[in-house]
Amino acid sequence: MMLRLAMATLARRRARTALTTAGVAVAAAMLLDMVMLGSGMRESFRGFIEQQGFQIRLTPRGTMPFDSEATVGGGAALVRAVATDPDVVTVAPLLGAKLFSRTPGDSVVSAFVLGLDPAVQGDYVLVEGRDLAADDELVVNASYLAATGRAVGDTVQVAAGYDAQMRRVTGARTVRIVGRARFVMLGGSERAAAMRLAAVQAMGGRDRADRLSVVLVATRPGADIESVRRRLEASDARVSALSTAAALQLVDERLGYFRQLAFILASVSLAVGFLLVTTLVTVSVNERIGEIAVMRAIGVARWRIVAQVMAEGVALSLVGATIGMGLGLVTATWLNGILAAFPGLPAAFDFFFFEPAAAFRSLGLLVLCGIAAGIWPAWRAATLPIARTLREEAVA
Amino acid sequence: MREIVLAARDVRRDYPVAGEPVHAVRGISLDVAAGDWVAIVGPSGCGKSTLLNLLGAIDRPTTGSIAIRGRDVARMNDADATRFRLTGIGFVFQRFYLMPTLTAAENVELPMAEAKLPRAARVARARELLAYVGLGARADHRPYQLSGGEQQRVAIARALANRPALLLADEPTGELDARTGTEMIALFDRLNRDGTTIVTVTHDEELAQAARRVVHMRDGAIVDQVLRRPLADAVPAPPHAPGTAQA
Ligand SMILES: Nc1ncnc2c1ncn2[C@@H]1O[C@H](COP(=O)(O)OP(=O)(O)OP(=O)(O)O)[C@@H](O)[C@H]1O
Ligand SMILES: [Mg+2]
């Protein structure tokens, strides 16, 4: 009967209850989105790095992975040296460079080209055509095809350098597009191509001879990755070795500011939810102060009043959190669509990552806030001086 | 000899107000025997409501003692006083004060639910009580669907729900028109004849005249008592009467 009284109170002020519930739902949605945002980017990076299937990456010392044009020379020797480590099973050398392609209309389009060994690469997934088999072949992504007006099977003139003023190219050669692929680390809007490593090196002339940007290393299952990493780093003073775990940690550090922001906004959402529920419950208690005094006068126990008032807060935050969960997922999907269209981001990059445990934890926290929000108004209602309140009600 | 249901001794209540405290009740002693009906009358502001609240354990005296059925309600902690109000005292207020979201029957059931009476028992008793106050057909109506007189009848049924030793009413006819007030007085009279011990506070001359004893107050003190109908001729209550205190 007490529970019915509490629910009847909410039902009596339908519009107000609905508005507050909506407010709590928005706060819950925001909270959920921020929690999802906090881990989304890291989880996306983890996905990419793990998808490549390599546990260690060697980069020119002093540079960060993913963001440098720096290269290291003596590539072949480096790869051979790394391969001699007993715990290393695969070595995948990579060289990133610019690639200029001539369109049928005789203009020039620039793209990013990865020089690699197609037998051990983890950078693209073939969608159409076949993989690289010779030095004069090219695998490209859809953006490249769209920008150059080419199709799989076409022959295209490419170059390593292009002087726009003089309209002069360097390191030119004629290649055939043999396949279309999705490049996992690159944005869908970014024009990308892959060639055999030797071809990319050769096109660059002496500047690029035997140079590498990254060497990806896969270890034997069960190997102690950290000790392999240390060995590799110690063996060559020109490179840094970074394990997947360390790379993720780096990403984590870089995203720290971002996550902090998400955390702050999540806390604000919680506070907003708390204040909304406190406000509504306080207003509701003030409105019913006479009724509550009467209940106390006819012998309803304090804790029953407390339970009744708090039930209102709990009901509000439970319903609000449930609606907010759906709302949060919808807005996350929507925002993800907008953010993923940013240039320079991998196509499959997710800003929002739905982790059921974290989602339920955060919404549980919101419901706890709802419970806490009811405590003060409930206690105030339960301890009011009965005689004086009745008298004031009679005067009002 | 009849049991003394209520024994107040030298009860005082001061309200601490900035400046001179208000001495609302200044040393009242009063005995009420089982089956009696006392009407407290006096000019506005003389302390009638204050006294009634003290007698009903919803307020505490500054000094003095109030024993109801031998228990000192002035010294009880909140939980005990609340429990005592629930089972030992029935309250009727000038403004009825029903729960607006509950039906008439549910309003009557409320104190019984709080007292943990089984559902079937309280539903049956609520019907019985509503029939007793003449509202058998209105059990499922909500307060806003009832007239003032009808609401006050529901409030009386609610006050009797847990078979209290004492029924306290503060201006029960104050919000009613003359005819409805007369009907209400008839109901109180029937309740008292059926064995309910009643204390009413009133300005209503007709209500006061119906009581067995009239206590006159002035400035927080009793100045006169008039015995109108001695208790001796009170008919002992049949044990099943709705208003009867539990033995
Ligand atoms: N909470 C309070 N604080 C201060 N003074 C109070 C308080 N309650 C009552 N009083 C004062 O105590 C006195 C007695 O008030 P009370 O309500 O008991 O009178 P009453 O006899 O019931 O009057 P009425 O017939 O108008 O209802 C009044 O002077 C009133 O102003
Ligand atoms: Mg009064």
Side-chain angles (χ1 to χ4, degrees):
Chain A
M1 182 166 270
M2 288 296 151
L3 195 67
R4 265 212 46 213
L5 262 175
M7 296 312 119
T9 308
L10 289 174
R12 188 155 38 149
R13 301 267 178 266
R14 241 175 240 121
R16 194 174 71 192
T17 305
L19 283 173
T20 311
T21 310
V24 173
V26 169
M30 174 102 166
L31 175 65
L32 182 64
D33 282 354
M34 288 305 129
V35 168
M36 286 168 72
L37 190 59
S39 56
M41 293 174 94
R42 179 183 32 190
E43 290 308 315
S44 286
F45 271 113
R46 182 199 297 284
F48 294 139
I49 294 173
E50 283 172 357
Q51 189 182 347
Q52 282 185 312
F54 297 95
Q55 291 78 37
I56 298 171
R57 31 181 62 233
L58 302 179
T59 52
R61 184 153 287 189
T63 64
M64 292 294 193
F66 317 120
D67 64 354
S68 165
E69 291 185 358
T71 57
V72 62
L78 176 63
V79 169
R80 266 198 308 279
V82 170
T84 58
D85 190 291
D87 281 340
V88 169
V89 289
T90 314
V91 184
L94 287 175
L95 174 62
K98 275 206 161 125
L99 183 75
F100 297 92
S101 314
R102 200 168 287 282
T103 68
D106 211 27
S107 61
V108 172
V109 169
S110 81
F112 177 72
V113 67
L114 261 180
L116 45 74
D117 176 354
V120 292
Q121 66 85 20
D123 282 275
Y124 60 80
V125 182
L126 210 60
V127 197
E128 182 189 344
R130 60 167 175 82
D131 211 348
L132 300 170
D135 277 0
D136 61 350
E137 288 177 352
L138 206 57
V139 164
V140 299
N141 69 359
S143 301
Y144 177 95
L145 293 175
T148 57
R150 304 287 182 180
V152 174
D154 285 2
T155 301
V156 58
Q157 268 215 306
V158 296
Y162 176 62
D163 185 330
Q165 257 106 52
M166 313 295 286
R167 287 188 60 79
R168 204 162 49 210
V169 295
T170 51
R173 57 172 63 194
T174 304
V175 297
R176 220 165 78 81
I177 301 172
V178 296
R180 179 164 67 84
R182 189 170 57 76
F183 285 72
V184 293
M185 297 296 287
L186 298 173
S189 60
E190 217 170 342
R191 298 183 287 276
M195 284 177 94
R196 286 169 69 126
L197 175 62
V200 175
Q201 285 174 338
M203 278 170 71
R206 287 185 42 182
D207 290 352
R208 282 197 209 152
D210 208 20
R211 296 200 80 85
L212 296 175
S213 327
V214 185
V215 177
L216 302 175
V217 178
T219 54
R220 183 175 56 76
D224 177 4
I225 295 168
E226 181 51 27
S227 65
V228 178
R229 187 198 70 77
R230 257 184 273 124
R231 272 204 303 278
L232 295 180
E233 196 164 62
S235 69
D236 194 324
R238 296 168 305 153
V239 296
S240 306
L242 196 66
S243 62
T244 298
L248 278 176
Q249 205 184 335
L250 256 175
V251 169
D252 246 9
E253 278 166 22
R254 291 232 185 147
L255 293 177
Y257 165 76
F258 204 75
R259 271 211 316 281
Q260 230 166 355
L261 192 74
F263 177 79
I264 290 169
L265 289 178
S267 311
V268 169
S269 311
L270 270 183
V272 167
F274 176 87
L275 288 176
L276 268 173
V277 174
T278 316
T279 305
L280 182 113
V281 174
T282 305
V283 167
S284 152
V285 162
N286 285 347
E287 203 172 67
R288 295 197 307 135
I289 201 96
E291 272 173 53
I292 292 170
V294 171
M295 277 195 272
R296 294 279 295 127
I298 65 174
V300 173
R302 267 186 180 157
W303 72 266
R304 292 264 209 178
I305 303 287
V306 169
Q308 206 188 109
V309 172
M310 286 180 64
E312 278 183 53
V314 172
L316 273 177
S317 36
L318 263 181
V319 174
T322 309
I323 298 174
M325 176 124 171
L327 193 64
L329 288 176
V330 169
T331 47
T333 312
W334 178 64
L335 286 173
N336 219 16
I338 293 177
L339 293 174
F342 266 41
L345 280 176
F349 198 92
D350 279 325
F351 282 87
F352 298 88
F353 180 74
F354 181 74
E355 224 180 325
F360 285 120
R361 221 177 313 124
S362 61
L363 294 183
L365 206 60
L366 185 79
V367 174
L368 276 184
C369 268
I371 295 173
I375 291 177
W376 184 73
W379 184 245
R380 209 173 56 97
T383 54
L384 54 85
I386 302 165
R388 209 177 83 196
T389 308
L390 286 176
R391 185 186 187 82
E392 282 163 4
E393 281 296 299
V395 170
Chain B
M1 235 204 88
R2 280 178 179 266
E3 181 201 7
I4 299 297
V5 173
L6 171 80
R9 288 290 168 273
D10 198 26
V11 172
R12 289 171 190 274
R13 178 68 164 98
D14 299 334
Y15 290 113
V17 188
E20 180 71 3
V22 177
H23 307 288
V25 171
R26 319 170 175 232
I28 284 188
S29 298
L30 182 70
D31 281 352
V32 178
D36 206 350
W37 177 4
V38 175
I40 300 172
V41 299
S44 187
C46 70
K48 304 184 295 291
S49 296
T50 302
L51 177 63
L52 201 71
N53 289 343
L54 294 172
L55 300 183
I58 68 174
D59 191 13
R60 272 161 214 265
T62 311
T63 61
S65 71
I66 298 165
I68 297 176
R69 296 199 128 180
R71 294 192 59 195
D72 188 354
V73 297
R75 305 277 174 278
M76 283 181 187
N77 64 22
D78 181 81
D80 289 343
T82 303
R83 189 76 199 164
F84 192 82
R85 290 197 297 273
L86 180 68
T87 55
I89 292 168
F91 266 106
V92 176
F93 307 92
Q94 179 173 351
R95 293 199 170 177
F96 332 135
Y97 287 143
L98 299 177
M99 298 297 127
T101 51
L102 300 181
T103 64
E106 287 168 337
N107 265 286
V108 179
E109 283 177 46
L110 181 65
M112 295 187 270
E114 181 70 14
K116 306 235 163 43
L117 214 68
R119 198 182 149 70
R122 64 183 200 238
V123 167
R125 177 148 174 86
R127 301 258 153 207
E128 182 193 9
L129 282 167
L130 284 174
Y132 183 88
V133 298
L135 286 177
R138 313 296 297 271
D140 297 323
H141 289 219
R142 292 184 196 275
Y144 73 89
Q145 295 166 315
L146 301 173
S147 72
E150 288 160 349
Q151 288 184 51
Q152 193 61 299
R153 286 166 188 272
V154 176
I156 289 170
R158 176 177 71 182
L160 297 173
N162 287 327
R163 301 175 198 270
L166 188 59
L167 181 68
L168 302 178
D170 194 349
E171 307 273 14
T173 58
E175 300 263 311
L176 305 176
D177 63 40
R179 225 193 88 218
T180 319
T182 304
E183 286 169 18
M184 200 56 58
I185 292 164
L187 176 56
F188 273 98
D189 190 51
R190 181 150 59 97
L191 274 172
N192 180 242
R193 284 181 193 284
D194 286 345
T196 308
T197 312
I198 305 173
V199 176
T200 54
V201 156
T202 187
H203 281 127
D204 184 342
E205 196 56 31
E206 196 188 342
L207 177 59
Q209 296 308 312
R212 292 181 186 276
R213 189 147 57 108
V214 182
V215 171
H216 291 268
M217 273 182 75
R218 182 158 301 148
D219 291 335
I222 293 175
V223 290
D224 193 16
Q225 296 207 31
V226 179
L227 186 64
R228 302 182 49 79
R229 287 182 291 144
L231 250 181
D233 59 2
V235 187
H240 60 272
T244 311
Q246 259 170 331

